[in-house]
């Protein structure tokens, strides 16, 4: 089974060599690595050209000078894929030697699989292990977490751990502009019953200050401060908008009775959330006041104690005009 790797780069000179070398060292080698640089201003391209000259595996480097952003960068990369399977790669992680071999075996043994993804070790810049990815996002496949409603509301599929069947990939292109590519691919695959988790930790997933995934434990004081942080509140609003856009997009992409039923349930939930945030998610809505929204069964169906408290505080702060 042949596969290709698509790798999106942007100002990644510090780590990209280590990442590419880990791909080249796979127990089952890729037929090609396709890299598109998104307009780096550092020496990323110099590093890539050196790797290309050293490698016995084809490395194609696309450099058109355009800055598309990471979603459209990956979308552009998919246009060059010719193999039956494609692995998505970030620029600053490290693959475990048997990553490709393990995920390809899943495709071989499970013909229905369209998207296969794994767990990962979280590491910092000094290679210290911070725990596992699935632990930090509270994901346990055995608990029934591979359900469409759960994936739509809280995506646990990280693109850097993901391999995709090319035939499926072609059916869900292009990527919606405002929805992360892994979120989109996971949701579509889950809707078709073809999203498959692998419990092996197959990459070292590097955590920087701007992409921490639960690697640092918050103190009570930190959580209280976060409740008053308008920037974090705006991030929560942006996430809810993302869910809203995704649900509408998935309804167009996968038109089935199951999708319609699930999406309608989530839209009712988001209607309650929209009331909490005073129309900050989308225009319009059915609910009239904060308490009726928060205590609605449509809202509590998808909420946790933590999210209820957080949303309630946000709703109160917004109504009191706290910044």
């Amino acid at each position: 089974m042949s596969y290709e790797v698509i790798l999106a780069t942007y100002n990644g000179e510090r780590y990209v060599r280590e990442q590419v070398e880990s791909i080249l060292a796979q127990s089952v080698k890729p037929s090609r690595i396709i890299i598109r640089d998104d307009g780096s201003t550092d020496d990323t391209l110099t590093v890539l050209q050196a790797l290309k000259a050293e490698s016995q595996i084809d490395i194609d480097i696309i450099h058109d000078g355009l800055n598309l952003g990471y979603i459209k960068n990956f979308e552009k990369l998919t246009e060059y894929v010719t193999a039956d399977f494609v692995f998505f790669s970030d620029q600053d992680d490290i693959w475990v030697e048997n990553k490709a071999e393990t995920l390809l075996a899943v495709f071989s043994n499970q013909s229905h699989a369209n998207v296969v993804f794994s767990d990962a070790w979280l590491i910092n810049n000094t290679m210290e292990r911070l725990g596992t990815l699935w632990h930090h996002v509270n994901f346990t496949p055995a608990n029934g977490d591979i359900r469409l409603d759960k994936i739509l509301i809280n995506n646990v599929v990280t693109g850097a751990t993901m391999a995709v069947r090319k035939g499926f990939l072609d059916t869900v292109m292009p990527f919606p502009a405002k929805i992360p590519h892994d979120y989109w691919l996971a949701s579509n695959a889950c809707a078709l019953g073809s999203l498959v988790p692998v419990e092996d930790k197959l990459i070292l997933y590097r955590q920087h200050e701007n992409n921490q995934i639960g690697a640092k434990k918050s103190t009570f004081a930190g959580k209280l401060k976060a409740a008053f942080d308008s920037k974090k509140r705006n991030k929560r609003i942006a996430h809810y908008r993302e869910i809203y856009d995704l649900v509408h997009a998935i309804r167009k992409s996968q038109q089935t009775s199951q999708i319609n039923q699930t999406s309608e349930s989530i839209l009712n939930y988001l209607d309650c959330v929209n009331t909490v945030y005073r129309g900050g998610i989308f225009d319009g809505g059915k609910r009239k006041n904060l308490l009726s929204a928060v205590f609605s069964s449509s809202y509590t169906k998808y909420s946790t104690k933590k999210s209820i408290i957080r949303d309630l505080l946000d709703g109160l702060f917004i109504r009191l005009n706290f910044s």
Side-chain angles (χ1 to χ4, degrees):
M1 301 174 73
S2 68
Y3 73 97
E4 293 173 333
V5 179
I6 55 175
L7 196 163
T9 62
Y10 178 72
N11 288 348
E13 62 177 1
R14 185 175 177 185
Y15 301 114
V16 71
R17 169 172 280 276
E18 195 169 18
Q19 170 65 303
V20 173
E21 287 178 343
S22 75
I23 297 171
L24 294 172
Q26 288 296 293
S27 57
V28 175
K29 310 295 183 188
S31 58
R32 185 167 55 140
I33 302 174
I34 311 166
I35 304 171
R36 183 185 176 278
D37 185 75
D38 206 31
S40 292
T41 56
D42 64 359
D43 287 332
T44 297
L45 282 167
T46 301
V47 175
L48 294 176
Q49 292 294 348
L51 284 163
K52 179 180 175 69
E54 299 164 12
S55 175
Q56 295 181 343
I57 294 173
D58 288 342
I59 298 179
D60 290 349
I61 301 171
I62 302 156
H63 177 232
D64 52 24
L66 299 176
N67 182 265
L68 303 177
Y70 78 98
I71 297 173
K72 290 302 177 181
N73 192 3
F74 274 115
E75 180 181 298
K76 189 69 177 175
L77 278 162
T78 65
E79 297 175 8
Y80 297 89
V81 174
T82 59
D84 292 334
F85 301 95
V86 56
F87 285 64
F88 287 69
S89 173
D90 292 342
Q91 66 184 2
D92 51 3
D93 303 320
I94 300 169
W95 287 17
V96 175
E97 186 178 2
N98 66 334
K99 173 186 175 175
E101 181 179 1
T102 301
L103 298 190
L104 289 172
V106 176
F107 286 116
S108 180
N109 296 327
Q110 301 188 43
S111 59
H112 72 284
N114 283 322
V115 174
V116 181
F117 68 104
S118 76
D119 198 355
W121 291 109
L122 300 179
I123 62 169
N124 59 20
N125 288 340
T126 62
M127 297 290 290
E128 177 188 3
R129 290 188 179 184
L130 307 172
T132 67
L133 174 61
W134 287 5
H135 173 75
H136 284 295
V137 297
N138 297 315
F139 173 67
T140 307
N143 290 347
D145 286 349
I146 299 293
R147 274 187 13 212
L148 181 58
D149 54 352
K150 289 193 174 185
I151 295 294
L152 287 172
I153 289 176
N154 181 33
N155 180 43
V156 293
V157 182
T158 300
T161 71
M162 186 171 66
V164 181
R165 192 181 297 272
K166 175 64 160 55
F168 163 78
L169 180 65
D170 291 341
T171 68
V172 295
M173 300 302 294
F175 296 143
K178 297 181 181 179
I179 299 170
H181 63 285
D182 47 11
Y183 204 175
W184 176 244
L185 291 170
S187 298
N188 277 276
C190 190
L192 295 172
S194 60
L195 178 65
V196 180
V198 173
E199 293 187 8
D200 302 58
K201 300 156 191 66
L202 297 178
I203 72 167
L204 307 183
Y205 188 34
R206 200 184 303 268
Q207 299 297 288
H208 307 291
E209 288 185 0
N210 63 342
N211 75 329
Q212 291 284 342
I213 303 181
K216 292 182 179 178
K217 298 295 183 181
S218 298
T219 62
F220 176 77
K223 290 178 180 178
L224 187 61
K225 181 180 179 181
F228 289 88
D229 190 333
S230 61
K231 290 183 179 179
K232 291 190 175 182
R233 190 177 311 128
N234 289 335
K235 284 186 178 181
R236 289 192 285 272
I237 292 172
H239 175 62
Y240 284 128
R241 285 178 186 155
E242 196 172 78
I243 299 172
Y244 181 79
D245 290 340
L246 174 61
V247 169
H248 282 284
I250 201 80
R251 291 180 80 170
K252 293 180 180 178
S253 175
Q254 308 290 342
Q255 297 180 2
T256 68
S257 57
Q258 180 203 1
I259 297 297
N260 290 335
Q261 183 178 1
T262 300
S263 61
E264 196 62 36
S265 179
I266 294 176
L267 289 174
N268 286 334
Y269 160 71
L270 290 174
D271 186 65
C272 297
V273 175
N274 195 48
T275 297
V276 171
Y277 288 91
R278 279 200 159 177
I281 316 301
F282 59 87
D283 294 332
K286 305 172 186 175
R287 308 285 168 178
K288 293 183 179 180
N289 62 70
L290 177 62
L291 292 180
S292 68
V294 170
F295 290 104
S296 164
S297 60
S298 295
Y299 174 80
T300 56
K301 181 177 181 179
Y302 295 116
S303 299
T304 62
K305 290 181 180 179
K306 179 180 178 181
S307 65
I308 290 172
I309 293 171
R310 182 194 62 205
D311 287 343
L312 188 57
L313 286 173
D314 281 345
L316 290 171
F317 292 160
I318 288 170
R319 283 158 177 77
L320 293 171
N321 293 318
F322 285 6
S323 59

